Structures are given as C-alpha cells and as structure tokens.
Coordinates of all heavy atoms in Angstrom, one line a residue:
M8 N 0.5 -11.5 28.0 CA -0.8 -10.8 28.3 C -1.8 -11.4 27.3 O -1.5 -11.5 26.1 CB -0.6 -9.3 28.1 CG -1.9 -8.6 28.3 SD -1.8 -6.8 28.1 CE -0.9 -6.4 29.6
A9 N -3.0 -11.7 27.8 CA -4.1 -12.2 26.9 C -4.6 -11.2 26.0 O -4.7 -10.0 26.4 CB -5.2 -12.8 27.8
K10 N -5.0 -11.6 24.8 CA -5.6 -10.7 23.9 C -7.1 -10.6 24.2 O -7.8 -11.5 24.0 CB -5.4 -11.2 22.4 CG -3.9 -11.1 22.0 CD -3.7 -11.6 20.6 CE -2.3 -11.7 20.2 NZ -2.1 -12.1 18.9
T11 N -7.5 -9.4 24.6 CA -8.9 -9.2 25.0 C -9.6 -8.1 24.3 O -10.8 -8.0 24.4 CB -9.0 -9.0 26.5 OG1 -8.3 -7.8 26.9 CG2 -8.5 -10.2 27.3
E12 N -8.8 -7.2 23.6 CA -9.4 -6.1 23.0 C -9.7 -6.4 21.5 O -9.0 -7.2 20.9 CB -8.5 -4.9 23.0 CG -8.3 -4.3 24.4 CD -9.5 -3.7 24.9 OE1 -10.3 -3.1 24.2 OE2 -9.7 -3.8 26.2
M13 N -10.8 -5.9 21.0 CA -11.2 -6.1 19.6 C -11.2 -4.8 18.8 O -11.6 -3.8 19.4 CB -12.6 -6.7 19.5 CG -13.0 -7.0 18.1 SD -14.5 -8.0 18.0 CE -13.9 -9.6 18.6
I14 N -10.7 -4.8 17.6 CA -10.7 -3.7 16.7 C -11.7 -4.0 15.6 O -11.6 -5.0 15.0 CB -9.3 -3.5 16.1 CG1 -8.3 -3.2 17.2 CG2 -9.3 -2.3 15.1 CD1 -6.9 -3.3 16.7
R15 N -12.5 -3.0 15.3 CA -13.5 -3.1 14.2 C -13.3 -1.9 13.3 O -13.2 -0.8 13.8 CB -14.9 -3.2 14.7 CG -15.2 -4.4 15.4 CD -16.6 -4.5 15.9 NE -17.6 -4.3 14.9 CZ -18.4 -5.2 14.3 NH1 -18.3 -6.4 14.8 NH2 -19.2 -5.0 13.4
A16 N -13.1 -2.1 12.0 CA -12.9 -1.0 11.1 C -13.6 -1.4 9.7 O -13.6 -2.6 9.4 CB -11.4 -0.8 10.8
R17 N -14.1 -0.4 9.1 CA -14.7 -0.7 7.8 C -13.7 -0.2 6.7 O -13.2 0.9 6.8 CB -16.0 0.1 7.6 CG -17.1 -0.4 8.5 CD -18.4 0.2 8.1 NE -19.5 -0.2 9.0 CZ -20.1 -1.4 8.8 NH1 -19.8 -2.2 7.8 NH2 -21.1 -1.8 9.7
V18 N -13.5 -1.1 5.7 CA -12.6 -0.8 4.6 C -13.3 -1.3 3.3 O -14.2 -2.1 3.4 CB -11.2 -1.4 4.7 CG1 -10.5 -0.8 5.9 CG2 -11.3 -2.9 4.8
E19 N -12.8 -0.8 2.2 CA -13.3 -1.2 0.9 C -13.0 -2.7 0.7 O -11.9 -3.1 1.0 CB -12.7 -0.4 -0.2 CG -13.1 1.0 -0.2 CD -12.4 1.8 -1.3 OE1 -11.7 1.2 -2.1 OE2 -12.5 3.1 -1.2
P20 N -14.0 -3.5 0.2 CA -13.7 -4.9 0.1 C -12.5 -5.3 -0.8 O -11.7 -6.2 -0.4 CB -15.0 -5.5 -0.6 CG -16.0 -4.5 -0.2 CD -15.3 -3.2 -0.1
A21 N -12.3 -4.5 -1.8 CA -11.1 -4.8 -2.7 C -9.8 -4.6 -2.0 O -8.9 -5.4 -2.0 CB -11.2 -4.0 -4.0
L22 N -9.7 -3.5 -1.2 CA -8.5 -3.2 -0.4 C -8.3 -4.3 0.6 O -7.2 -4.7 0.8 CB -8.7 -1.8 0.3 CG -7.6 -1.4 1.3 CD1 -6.3 -1.3 0.5 CD2 -8.0 -0.1 1.9
K23 N -9.4 -4.7 1.3 CA -9.2 -5.8 2.3 C -8.7 -7.1 1.7 O -7.7 -7.7 2.2 CB -10.6 -6.1 2.9 CG -10.6 -7.2 3.9 CD -12.0 -7.4 4.5 CE -12.1 -8.5 5.5 NZ -12.0 -9.8 5.0
H24 N -9.2 -7.5 0.5 CA -8.8 -8.7 -0.1 C -7.3 -8.6 -0.6 O -6.5 -9.5 -0.5 CB -9.7 -9.1 -1.3 CG -11.1 -9.4 -0.8 ND1 -11.3 -10.5 0.1 CD2 -12.3 -8.8 -1.0 CE1 -12.6 -10.5 0.3 NE2 -13.2 -9.5 -0.3
E25 N -7.0 -7.4 -1.2 CA -5.6 -7.2 -1.7 C -4.6 -7.3 -0.5 O -3.5 -7.9 -0.6 CB -5.5 -5.9 -2.4 CG -6.2 -5.9 -3.8 CD -6.1 -4.6 -4.5 OE1 -5.2 -3.8 -4.3 OE2 -7.1 -4.3 -5.3
A26 N -4.9 -6.6 0.6 CA -4.1 -6.6 1.7 C -3.9 -8.0 2.3 O -2.8 -8.4 2.7 CB -4.6 -5.6 2.8
E27 N -5.0 -8.7 2.4 CA -5.0 -10.0 3.0 C -4.1 -11.0 2.1 O -3.5 -11.9 2.6 CB -6.4 -10.6 3.2 CG -7.1 -9.9 4.4 CD -8.5 -10.3 4.6 OE1 -9.1 -10.9 3.7 OE2 -9.1 -10.0 5.7
A28 N -4.2 -10.7 0.8 CA -3.3 -11.6 -0.1 C -1.8 -11.3 0.2 O -1.0 -12.2 0.2 CB -3.7 -11.3 -1.5
V29 N -1.5 -10.0 0.4 CA -0.1 -9.7 0.8 C 0.3 -10.3 2.1 O 1.3 -10.9 2.3 CB 0.1 -8.2 0.8 CG1 1.5 -7.8 1.3 CG2 -0.1 -7.6 -0.6
F30 N -0.6 -10.2 3.1 CA -0.4 -10.8 4.4 C -0.1 -12.3 4.3 O 0.8 -12.8 4.9 CB -1.5 -10.6 5.4 CG -1.9 -9.1 5.7 CD1 -3.1 -8.8 6.1 CD2 -0.9 -8.1 5.6 CE1 -3.5 -7.5 6.4 CE2 -1.2 -6.8 5.9 CZ -2.5 -6.5 6.3
S31 N -0.9 -12.9 3.5 CA -0.8 -14.4 3.3 C 0.6 -14.7 2.7 O 1.2 -15.7 3.1 CB -1.9 -14.9 2.3 OG -1.8 -16.3 2.1
Q32 N 1.0 -13.9 1.7 CA 2.3 -14.2 1.1 C 3.4 -14.0 2.1 O 4.5 -14.6 2.0 CB 2.5 -13.2 -0.1 CG 1.7 -13.5 -1.3 CD 1.9 -12.5 -2.4 OE1 2.3 -11.4 -2.2 NE2 1.5 -12.9 -3.6
L33 N 3.2 -13.1 3.1 CA 4.2 -12.9 4.1 C 4.1 -13.9 5.3 O 4.9 -13.8 6.2 CB 4.0 -11.4 4.7 CG 4.3 -10.3 3.7 CD1 3.9 -9.0 4.3 CD2 5.8 -10.3 3.4
G34 N 3.1 -14.7 5.2 CA 2.9 -15.7 6.3 C 2.2 -15.1 7.5 O 2.4 -15.6 8.6
L35 N 1.5 -14.0 7.3 CA 0.8 -13.3 8.4 C -0.7 -13.4 8.3 O -1.3 -13.4 7.2 CB 1.2 -11.8 8.5 CG 2.6 -11.4 8.7 CD1 2.8 -10.0 8.4 CD2 3.0 -11.8 10.1
S36 N -1.3 -13.5 9.5 CA -2.8 -13.4 9.5 C -3.1 -11.9 9.6 O -2.2 -11.1 9.9 CB -3.4 -14.1 10.7 OG -3.0 -13.4 11.9
T37 N -4.3 -11.5 9.4 CA -4.7 -10.1 9.5 C -4.5 -9.6 10.9 O -4.0 -8.5 11.1 CB -6.2 -9.9 9.1 OG1 -6.3 -10.4 7.7 CG2 -6.6 -8.5 9.2
T38 N -4.8 -10.5 11.9 CA -4.6 -10.1 13.3 C -3.1 -9.9 13.6 O -2.7 -8.9 14.2 CB -5.1 -11.2 14.2 OG1 -6.5 -11.3 14.0 CG2 -4.8 -10.9 15.7
E39 N -2.2 -10.7 13.0 CA -0.8 -10.6 13.2 C -0.3 -9.3 12.6 O 0.6 -8.6 13.1 CB 0.0 -11.8 12.7 CG -0.3 -13.0 13.5 CD 0.2 -14.3 12.8 OE1 0.2 -14.4 11.6 OE2 0.6 -15.2 13.6
A40 N -0.8 -9.0 11.4 CA -0.4 -7.8 10.7 C -0.8 -6.5 11.4 O -0.1 -5.6 11.5 CB -1.0 -7.8 9.2
I41 N -2.0 -6.5 11.9 CA -2.5 -5.4 12.7 C -1.7 -5.2 14.0 O -1.3 -4.1 14.4 CB -4.0 -5.5 13.0 CG1 -4.8 -5.3 11.7 CG2 -4.5 -4.4 14.0 CD1 -6.3 -5.7 11.8
T42 N -1.4 -6.3 14.7 CA -0.6 -6.3 15.9 C 0.8 -5.7 15.5 O 1.4 -4.9 16.3 CB -0.5 -7.7 16.5 OG1 -1.8 -8.1 16.8 CG2 0.4 -7.7 17.7
L43 N 1.4 -6.2 14.4 CA 2.7 -5.7 14.0 C 2.6 -4.2 13.7 O 3.5 -3.4 14.2 CB 3.1 -6.4 12.7 CG 4.5 -6.0 12.1 CD1 5.6 -6.3 13.1 CD2 4.7 -6.8 10.8
F44 N 1.6 -3.7 13.1 CA 1.5 -2.3 12.8 C 1.4 -1.5 14.2 O 2.1 -0.5 14.4 CB 0.2 -2.0 12.0 CG -0.1 -0.6 11.8 CD1 0.7 0.2 11.0 CD2 -1.1 0.0 12.5 CE1 0.4 1.6 10.8 CE2 -1.4 1.4 12.3 CZ -0.6 2.2 11.5
Y45 N 0.5 -2.0 15.1 CA 0.4 -1.3 16.4 C 1.7 -1.3 17.1 O 2.1 -0.3 17.8 CB -0.7 -2.0 17.2 CG -2.0 -1.5 17.1 CD1 -2.6 -1.4 15.8 CD2 -2.8 -1.1 18.2 CE1 -3.9 -0.9 15.6 CE2 -4.1 -0.6 18.0 CZ -4.6 -0.5 16.8 OH -5.9 0.0 16.6
K46 N 2.5 -2.4 17.1 CA 3.8 -2.4 17.8 C 4.7 -1.4 17.2 O 5.5 -0.7 17.9 CB 4.4 -3.8 17.7 CG 3.7 -4.8 18.7 CD 4.4 -6.1 18.7 CE 3.6 -7.0 19.7 NZ 4.4 -8.2 20.1
Q47 N 4.7 -1.3 15.8 CA 5.6 -0.3 15.2 C 5.2 1.1 15.5 O 6.0 2.0 15.7 CB 5.6 -0.5 13.6 CG 6.3 -1.8 13.2 CD 7.8 -1.7 13.6 OE1 8.5 -0.7 13.3 NE2 8.3 -2.7 14.3
V48 N 3.9 1.4 15.6 CA 3.4 2.7 16.0 C 3.9 3.1 17.4 O 4.4 4.2 17.6 CB 1.9 2.8 15.9 CG1 1.3 4.0 16.6 CG2 1.4 2.7 14.5
T49 N 3.9 2.1 18.3 CA 4.3 2.4 19.7 C 5.8 2.6 19.7 O 6.4 3.4 20.4 CB 3.9 1.3 20.7 OG1 4.4 0.1 20.3 CG2 2.4 1.2 20.8
L50 N 6.6 1.8 18.9 CA 8.0 1.9 18.9 C 8.5 3.3 18.3 O 9.5 3.9 18.7 CB 8.7 0.8 18.1 CG 8.7 -0.6 18.8 CD1 9.1 -1.7 17.8 CD2 9.6 -0.6 20.0
H51 N 7.8 3.7 17.3 CA 8.1 5.0 16.6 C 7.5 6.2 17.2 O 7.8 7.3 16.8 CB 7.7 4.9 15.1 CG 8.6 4.0 14.3 ND1 8.3 2.7 14.1 CD2 9.7 4.3 13.5 CE1 9.3 2.1 13.4 NE2 10.1 3.1 13.0
H52 N 6.5 6.0 18.1 CA 5.7 7.0 18.7 C 5.0 7.8 17.6 O 5.0 9.1 17.6 CB 6.6 8.0 19.6 CG 7.2 7.3 20.7 ND1 6.5 6.9 21.8 CD2 8.4 6.8 20.9 CE1 7.2 6.3 22.7 NE2 8.4 6.2 22.2
G53 N 4.6 7.1 16.6 CA 3.9 7.7 15.4 C 3.8 6.7 14.4 O 4.1 5.5 14.6
L54 N 3.3 7.1 13.2 CA 3.2 6.1 12.1 C 4.6 5.7 11.7 O 5.6 6.5 11.7 CB 2.5 6.8 10.9 CG 1.1 7.1 11.1 CD1 0.5 7.8 9.9 CD2 0.3 5.9 11.4
P55 N 4.8 4.4 11.4 CA 6.1 3.9 11.0 C 6.5 4.1 9.6 O 7.4 3.4 9.0 CB 5.9 2.4 11.3 CG 4.5 2.1 11.1 CD 3.8 3.3 11.5
F56 N 5.9 5.1 9.0 CA 6.3 5.5 7.6 C 5.9 6.9 7.4 O 5.1 7.5 8.1 CB 5.5 4.6 6.6 CG 4.1 4.4 6.9 CD1 3.1 5.4 6.5 CD2 3.6 3.2 7.5 CE1 1.8 5.2 6.8 CE2 2.3 3.1 7.8 CZ 1.4 4.0 7.5
A57 N 6.5 7.5 6.4 CA 6.2 8.9 6.1 C 4.8 9.1 5.5 O 4.5 8.3 4.6 CB 7.3 9.5 5.2
V58 N 4.1 10.1 5.9 CA 2.8 10.4 5.4 C 2.9 11.8 4.8 O 3.0 12.8 5.6 CB 1.7 10.3 6.4 CG1 0.3 10.7 5.8 CG2 1.6 8.8 6.9
R59 N 2.9 11.9 3.5 CA 3.1 13.2 2.9 C 2.1 13.4 1.7 O 1.7 12.4 1.1 CB 4.5 13.4 2.3 CG 5.5 13.4 3.3 CD 6.9 13.5 2.7 NE 7.6 12.4 3.3 CZ 8.6 11.8 2.7 NH1 9.0 12.0 1.5 NH2 9.2 10.8 3.4
L60 N 1.7 14.6 1.4 CA 0.9 14.9 0.3 C 1.8 14.8 -0.9 O 3.0 15.4 -0.9 CB 0.3 16.3 0.4 CG -0.8 16.4 1.5 CD1 -1.2 17.8 1.6 CD2 -1.9 15.5 1.2
P61 N 1.4 14.2 -2.0 CA 2.2 14.2 -3.2 C 2.4 15.6 -3.8 O 1.5 16.4 -3.8 CB 1.5 13.2 -4.2 CG 0.1 13.2 -3.7 CD 0.1 13.5 -2.2
N62 N 3.5 15.8 -4.5 CA 3.7 17.1 -5.1 C 3.0 17.2 -6.4 O 2.3 16.2 -6.8 CB 5.2 17.4 -5.3 CG 5.9 16.3 -6.3 OD1 5.2 15.8 -7.1 ND2 7.2 16.1 -6.1
A63 N 3.0 18.3 -7.1 CA 2.2 18.5 -8.3 C 2.5 17.5 -9.4 O 1.7 17.0 -10.1 CB 2.4 19.9 -8.8
E64 N 3.8 17.2 -9.6 CA 4.3 16.3 -10.6 C 3.7 14.9 -10.3 O 3.2 14.2 -11.2 CB 5.8 16.2 -10.7 CG 6.3 15.3 -11.7 CD 7.9 15.3 -11.8 OE1 8.5 16.0 -10.9 OE2 8.4 14.7 -12.6
T65 N 3.8 14.4 -9.1 CA 3.3 13.1 -8.7 C 1.8 13.1 -8.9 O 1.2 12.1 -9.4 CB 3.7 12.7 -7.3 OG1 5.1 12.8 -7.2 CG2 3.2 11.4 -6.9
R66 N 1.1 14.1 -8.5 CA -0.4 14.2 -8.6 C -0.8 14.0 -10.1 O -1.7 13.3 -10.4 CB -1.0 15.5 -8.0 CG -1.0 15.4 -6.5 CD -1.9 16.6 -5.9 NE -1.5 17.9 -6.4 CZ -0.6 18.7 -5.8 NH1 0.0 18.2 -4.7 NH2 -0.3 19.9 -6.3
E67 N -0.1 14.7 -11.0 CA -0.4 14.7 -12.4 C -0.1 13.3 -12.9 O -0.9 12.7 -13.7 CB 0.5 15.7 -13.2 CG 0.2 15.7 -14.6 CD -1.2 16.0 -15.1 OE1 -2.0 16.7 -14.3 OE2 -1.6 15.6 -16.2
A68 N 1.0 12.7 -12.5 CA 1.3 11.3 -13.0 C 0.3 10.3 -12.5 O -0.2 9.4 -13.3 CB 2.7 10.9 -12.5
L69 N -0.2 10.5 -11.3 CA -1.3 9.6 -10.7 C -2.6 9.8 -11.5 O -3.2 8.8 -11.9 CB -1.5 9.8 -9.3 CG -0.4 9.4 -8.3 CD1 -0.6 10.0 -6.9 CD2 -0.3 7.9 -8.3
K70 N -2.9 11.0 -11.8 CA -4.1 11.3 -12.6 C -4.0 10.7 -14.0 O -5.0 10.0 -14.4 CB -4.3 12.8 -12.7 CG -5.4 13.3 -13.6 CD -5.4 14.8 -13.7 CE -6.4 15.3 -14.8 NZ -5.9 15.1 -16.2
Q71 N -2.9 10.8 -14.6 CA -2.7 10.3 -16.0 C -2.8 8.7 -15.9 O -3.4 8.1 -16.8 CB -1.4 10.7 -16.6 CG -1.4 12.2 -17.0 CD 0.0 12.6 -17.6 OE1 0.8 11.8 -17.8 NE2 0.1 13.9 -17.8
A72 N -2.2 8.1 -14.9 CA -2.2 6.7 -14.8 C -3.7 6.2 -14.6 O -4.1 5.2 -15.2 CB -1.4 6.2 -13.7
R73 N -4.4 6.9 -13.7 CA -5.8 6.5 -13.5 C -6.7 6.6 -14.8 O -7.6 5.8 -15.0 CB -6.4 7.3 -12.4 CG -6.0 7.0 -11.0 CD -6.7 7.8 -9.9 NE -6.0 7.7 -8.7 CZ -5.4 8.8 -8.2 NH1 -5.4 9.9 -8.8 NH2 -4.7 8.6 -7.1
E74 N -6.4 7.6 -15.6 CA -7.1 7.9 -16.8 C -6.5 7.2 -18.0 O -6.9 7.5 -19.2 CB -7.3 9.4 -17.0 CG -8.1 10.0 -15.8 CD -8.1 11.5 -15.9 OE1 -7.5 12.1 -16.8 OE2 -8.7 12.1 -15.0
N75 N -5.5 6.4 -17.8 CA -4.8 5.7 -18.9 C -4.3 6.7 -20.0 O -4.4 6.4 -21.2 CB -5.7 4.6 -19.5 CG -6.0 3.5 -18.6 OD1 -5.1 3.1 -17.8 ND2 -7.2 3.0 -18.5
E76 N -3.7 7.8 -19.6 CA -3.2 8.8 -20.5 C -1.7 8.7 -20.5 O -1.1 8.5 -19.5 CB -3.6 10.2 -20.0 CG -5.1 10.5 -20.1 CD -5.4 11.9 -19.6 OE1 -4.5 12.6 -19.2 OE2 -6.6 12.2 -19.6
N77 N -1.1 8.9 -21.6 CA 0.4 9.0 -21.8 C 1.1 7.8 -21.3 O 2.2 7.9 -20.7 CB 0.9 10.3 -21.1 CG 0.3 11.5 -21.8 OD1 0.1 11.6 -23.0 ND2 0.0 12.5 -20.9
L78 N 0.5 6.6 -21.4 CA 1.2 5.4 -20.9 C 2.0 4.8 -22.1 O 1.5 4.9 -23.2 CB 0.1 4.4 -20.4 CG -0.7 4.8 -19.2 CD1 -1.7 3.7 -18.9 CD2 0.1 5.2 -18.1
T79 N 3.1 4.2 -21.8 CA 3.9 3.6 -22.7 C 3.8 2.1 -22.5 O 4.0 1.6 -21.4 CB 5.4 4.0 -22.6 OG1 5.4 5.5 -22.8 CG2 6.2 3.4 -23.7
E80 N 3.6 1.3 -23.5 CA 3.5 -0.1 -23.4 C 4.8 -0.8 -24.0 O 5.3 -0.3 -25.0 CB 2.3 -0.7 -24.1 CG 1.0 -0.3 -23.4 CD -0.2 -0.9 -24.1 OE1 -0.1 -2.1 -24.6 OE2 -1.3 -0.3 -24.0
Y81 N 5.2 -1.8 -23.4 CA 6.4 -2.6 -23.9 C 6.0 -4.0 -24.1 O 5.1 -4.5 -23.4 CB 7.5 -2.4 -22.8 CG 8.0 -1.0 -22.6 CD1 7.5 -0.3 -21.6 CD2 8.9 -0.4 -23.5 CE1 7.9 1.1 -21.4 CE2 9.3 0.9 -23.3 CZ 8.8 1.6 -22.2 OH 9.2 2.9 -22.1
D82 N 6.7 -4.7 -25.0 CA 6.4 -6.1 -25.3 C 7.0 -7.0 -24.2 O 6.6 -8.2 -24.2 CB 7.0 -6.4 -26.7 CG 6.2 -5.8 -27.8 OD1 5.0 -5.5 -27.6 OD2 6.8 -5.4 -28.8
G83 N 7.9 -6.5 -23.4 CA 8.5 -7.3 -22.4 C 9.6 -6.6 -21.7 O 9.9 -5.4 -22.0
V84 N 10.2 -7.2 -20.7 CA 11.3 -6.6 -19.9 C 12.5 -6.2 -20.8 O 13.0 -5.1 -20.7 CB 11.7 -7.5 -18.8 CG1 12.9 -6.9 -18.1 CG2 10.6 -7.8 -17.8
E85 N 12.8 -7.0 -21.7 CA 14.0 -6.7 -22.6 C 13.6 -5.4 -23.4 O 14.5 -4.6 -23.7 CB 14.3 -7.9 -23.5 CG 14.8 -9.1 -22.7 CD 16.0 -8.8 -21.8 OE1 16.9 -8.0 -22.2 OE2 16.0 -9.3 -20.7
D86 N 12.4 -5.3 -23.9 CA 12.0 -4.2 -24.7 C 12.1 -2.9 -23.8 O 12.6 -1.9 -24.3 CB 10.6 -4.4 -25.2 CG 10.1 -3.3 -26.2 OD1 10.9 -2.7 -26.9 OD2 8.9 -3.1 -26.2
L87 N 11.7 -3.0 -22.6 CA 11.7 -1.9 -21.7 C 13.2 -1.5 -21.4 O 13.5 -0.3 -21.5 CB 11.0 -2.3 -20.3 CG 11.2 -1.3 -19.2 CD1 10.5 0.0 -19.5 CD2 10.7 -1.9 -17.9
K88 N 14.0 -2.5 -21.2 CA 15.4 -2.2 -20.9 C 16.1 -1.5 -22.1 O 16.8 -0.6 -22.0 CB 16.2 -3.5 -20.6 CG 15.9 -4.0 -19.2 CD 16.7 -5.3 -19.0 CE 16.4 -6.0 -17.7 NZ 17.2 -7.3 -17.6
A89 N 15.8 -2.0 -23.3 CA 16.3 -1.4 -24.5 C 15.9 0.0 -24.7 O 16.7 0.9 -25.2 CB 15.9 -2.3 -25.7
A90 N 14.7 0.3 -24.4 CA 14.2 1.7 -24.6 C 14.8 2.6 -23.6 O 14.8 3.9 -23.8 CB 12.7 1.7 -24.4
H91 N 15.3 2.2 -22.5 CA 15.9 3.0 -21.4 C 17.4 2.9 -21.3 O 17.9 3.2 -20.2 CB 15.2 2.8 -20.1 CG 13.7 3.3 -20.2 ND1 13.4 4.6 -20.1 CD2 12.6 2.5 -20.4 CE1 12.0 4.6 -20.2 NE2 11.6 3.4 -20.4
S92 N 18.1 2.3 -22.3 CA 19.5 2.2 -22.2 C 20.2 3.3 -22.9 O 19.8 3.9 -23.8 CB 20.1 0.9 -22.7 OG 19.2 -0.1 -22.9

C-alpha cells in the first residue's frame, strides 16, 4: 500500500534531536520509527509500553536529580563497583 497520509506534530527541539540521534543509531529514519510505533500500537491494541504515574519515592528521586540534590559522584566504574560491593 502506498504511503499517502502525513502526520504533523510539534515537539520540543531538544527532544526531537535526541530521539533522532537514537533512531540513527538504530538505523531508522524518523518515518520508519513512527511507522514502527504505529504498527506496535495496532498489534497491542494500545500503547506498546506501560504508562503509569510514578510513585512518591520515584517522584522525589526525579525531583532531587533535576535539582542536583543528594547526588553521589564516583571517579569511575571501578569506584562505583567498590562502593556497592
């Protein structure tokens, strides 16, 4: 079937560029990624992933991360591993 329908959507420029970078790494064009999403929606008869509101603990962690609060820095992967062994 020929592709004749067009989708237009407004998104934040940074989100668009970040998503397109991921698509590129996956070897997909934006059109192919949107088509893939639409196919998954039709196969699942809904969104192909869970959509839930974060719980209180997750909301607090997200808030702290956005505000750079209570973050722990490590010198590298080995330092991180050592701290959690």
Side-chain angles (χ1 to χ4, degrees):
M8 178 180 288
K10 294 180 182 179
T11 59
E12 294 292 325
M13 182 171 289
I14 300 168
R15 293 179 55 106
R17 293 192 180 278
V18 296
E19 295 174 5
L22 174 61
K23 179 180 181 286
H24 295 299
E25 289 176 28
E27 287 175 346
V29 173
F30 300 154
S31 177
Q32 290 176 338
L33 294 170
L35 296 170
S36 68
T37 301
T38 297
E39 291 167 328
I41 292 170
T42 301
L43 178 62
F44 175 73
Y45 269 54
K46 285 186 181 197
Q47 288 298 307
V48 167
T49 60
L50 288 171
H51 287 87
H52 298 284
L54 293 176
F56 46 81
V58 177
R59 295 178 230 150
L60 294 174
N62 63 27
E64 182 179 2
T65 302
R66 283 193 306 272
E67 179 61 24
L69 290 167
K70 176 184 167 284
Q71 288 179 9
R73 285 187 198 105
E74 296 172 0
N75 294 319
E76 294 177 0
N77 299 322
L78 299 179
T79 304
E80 293 187 29
Y81 298 95
D82 292 328
V84 174
E85 295 305 318
D86 187 30
L87 171 65
K88 288 179 183 178
H91 294 281
S92 341

